[in-house]
Amino acid sequence: MLKVYGTKICPDCIACEASFKKYGIGYEFVNIFATMPDFKEFLRLRDASPAFAHAKEQGSVGIPACVKEDGEIFTDWEGFLKDQGLEPIWPEAADQAKAEIAAQCDLRQHNC
């Protein structure tokens, strides 16, 4: 079973979770903002793994981050699905979260 680190306010995390549910992919979702131990667990993973190098270079958080049972970490959840012949979905809730983030960025008058 996969372990997916993410948040309930991240558009990609919302889409990842909806896609995994649609296709019956077993996963445990760890909401990194739910508790401080969950957040620290994700930070330890992010700090130690080269799988997050690209995200760090782009200034991204690196979520959703998926960990396979063998410990392999990947952040390309869409590629993971496509490799299995499955098409990722983008639900309306993900669009809504994306719009909310854009609005918050506009309120702060800088590009997020």
Coordinates of all heavy atoms in Angstrom, one line a residue, residues 3 9-10 19-20 31 35 37-38 40-41 59 61-63 65 91 93 95 101 104 110:
K3 N 1.9 5.2 0.8 CA 1.7 6.2 1.8 C 1.8 7.5 1.0 O 2.8 7.8 0.4 CB 2.7 6.1 2.9 CG 2.4 7.0 4.1 CD 3.5 6.7 5.2 CE 2.9 6.8 6.5 NZ 3.8 6.5 7.6
I9 N -5.7 21.0 1.1 CA -5.9 22.3 0.4 C -5.0 22.4 -0.8 O -5.1 23.4 -1.5 CB -5.6 23.5 1.4 CG1 -4.2 23.4 1.9 CG2 -6.6 23.5 2.5 CD1 -3.7 24.6 2.7
C10 N -4.3 21.4 -1.1 CA -3.4 21.3 -2.3 C -4.1 20.8 -3.5 O -4.6 19.6 -3.4 CB -2.1 20.5 -2.0 SG -1.2 20.0 -3.4
S19 N -8.0 10.5 -7.9 CA -7.6 9.5 -9.0 C -7.3 8.1 -8.3 O -7.7 7.1 -8.9 CB -6.3 10.0 -9.7 OG -6.6 11.2 -10.4
F20 N -6.6 8.1 -7.2 CA -6.3 6.8 -6.6 C -7.6 6.1 -6.1 O -7.7 4.9 -6.3 CB -5.3 7.0 -5.4 CG -3.9 7.3 -5.8 CD1 -3.5 7.5 -7.1 CD2 -2.9 7.3 -4.8 CE1 -2.2 7.7 -7.4 CE2 -1.6 7.5 -5.1 CZ -1.2 7.7 -6.5
N31 N -2.1 13.7 6.1 CA -2.3 15.1 6.0 C -1.2 15.8 6.8 O -1.2 15.8 8.0 CB -3.6 15.5 6.5 CG -3.9 17.0 6.3 OD1 -3.0 17.8 6.0 ND2 -5.2 17.4 6.5
T35 N -1.2 17.3 12.1 CA -0.5 17.3 13.4 C 1.0 17.7 13.2 O 1.5 17.5 12.1 CB -0.5 15.9 14.1 OG1 0.3 15.0 13.3 CG2 -2.0 15.4 14.2
P37 N 3.6 16.1 14.5 CA 4.4 14.9 14.2 C 4.3 14.5 12.7 O 5.2 14.1 12.1 CB 3.8 13.8 15.1 CG 3.3 14.6 16.3 CD 2.7 15.9 15.7
D38 N 3.1 14.6 12.1 CA 2.9 14.3 10.7 C 3.8 15.3 9.8 O 4.4 14.9 8.8 CB 1.5 14.4 10.2 CG 0.6 13.2 10.8 OD1 1.2 12.2 11.2 OD2 -0.6 13.4 10.8
K40 N 6.5 16.9 10.8 CA 7.9 16.6 11.0 C 8.3 15.4 10.3 O 9.4 15.3 9.7 CB 8.2 16.5 12.5 CG 8.2 17.8 13.2 CD 8.5 17.6 14.7 CE 8.6 18.9 15.4 NZ 8.9 18.7 16.8
E41 N 7.4 14.4 10.2 CA 7.7 13.1 9.5 C 7.9 13.4 8.0 O 8.9 12.9 7.4 CB 6.5 12.2 9.7 CG 6.7 10.8 9.0 CD 5.5 9.9 9.2 OE1 4.8 10.0 10.2 OE2 5.2 9.1 8.2
G59 N 11.4 25.5 -5.9 CA 10.8 26.2 -4.7 C 9.4 25.6 -4.3 O 8.6 26.3 -3.7
V61 N 6.9 22.5 -2.6 CA 6.9 21.7 -1.4 C 7.3 20.2 -1.7 O 8.0 19.6 -0.9 CB 5.5 21.8 -0.7 CG1 5.5 20.9 0.6 CG2 5.2 23.2 -0.3
G62 N 6.7 19.7 -2.8 CA 7.0 18.3 -3.1 C 5.9 17.4 -2.7 O 6.1 16.2 -2.4
I63 N 4.6 17.9 -2.7 CA 3.5 17.1 -2.4 C 2.5 17.1 -3.6 O 2.5 18.1 -4.4 CB 2.7 17.6 -1.1 CG1 2.3 19.0 -1.2 CG2 3.6 17.3 0.1 CD1 1.5 19.5 -0.1
A65 N 3.5 13.5 -2.1 CA 4.7 12.6 -2.1 C 4.2 11.2 -1.8 O 3.6 11.0 -0.8 CB 5.7 13.1 -1.1
P91 N -10.6 16.7 -10.4 CA -12.0 17.0 -10.0 C -12.2 18.5 -9.8 O -11.2 19.3 -9.6 CB -12.1 16.2 -8.7 CG -10.7 16.1 -8.1 CD -9.8 16.1 -9.4
A93 N -13.1 20.0 -7.2 CA -12.6 20.4 -5.9 C -11.1 20.9 -6.0 O -10.7 21.8 -5.3 CB -12.7 19.3 -4.9
D95 N -9.9 22.3 -8.8 CA -10.0 23.6 -9.4 C -10.3 24.7 -8.4 O -9.8 25.8 -8.4 CB -11.0 23.6 -10.5 CG -10.5 22.9 -11.8 OD1 -9.3 22.9 -12.0 OD2 -11.3 22.4 -12.6
I101 N -6.2 29.4 -3.8 CA -4.8 29.7 -3.6 C -4.4 31.0 -4.4 O -3.7 31.9 -3.9 CB -3.9 28.5 -4.0 CG1 -4.1 27.4 -3.0 CG2 -2.4 28.9 -4.1 CD1 -3.5 26.1 -3.4
Q104 N -5.7 34.0 -2.7 CA -4.9 34.4 -1.5 C -3.6 35.1 -1.9 O -3.1 36.0 -1.3 CB -4.5 33.1 -0.7 CG -5.7 32.5 0.0 CD -5.5 31.2 0.6 OE1 -4.4 30.6 0.5 NE2 -6.5 30.5 1.1
H110 N 1.7 39.4 -4.2 CA 2.9 38.8 -4.7 C 2.6 37.5 -5.4 O 1.5 36.9 -5.1 CB 4.0 38.6 -3.7 CG 3.7 37.7 -2.5 ND1 3.6 36.4 -2.6 CD2 3.3 38.0 -1.3 CE1 3.3 35.8 -1.5 NE2 3.1 36.8 -0.6

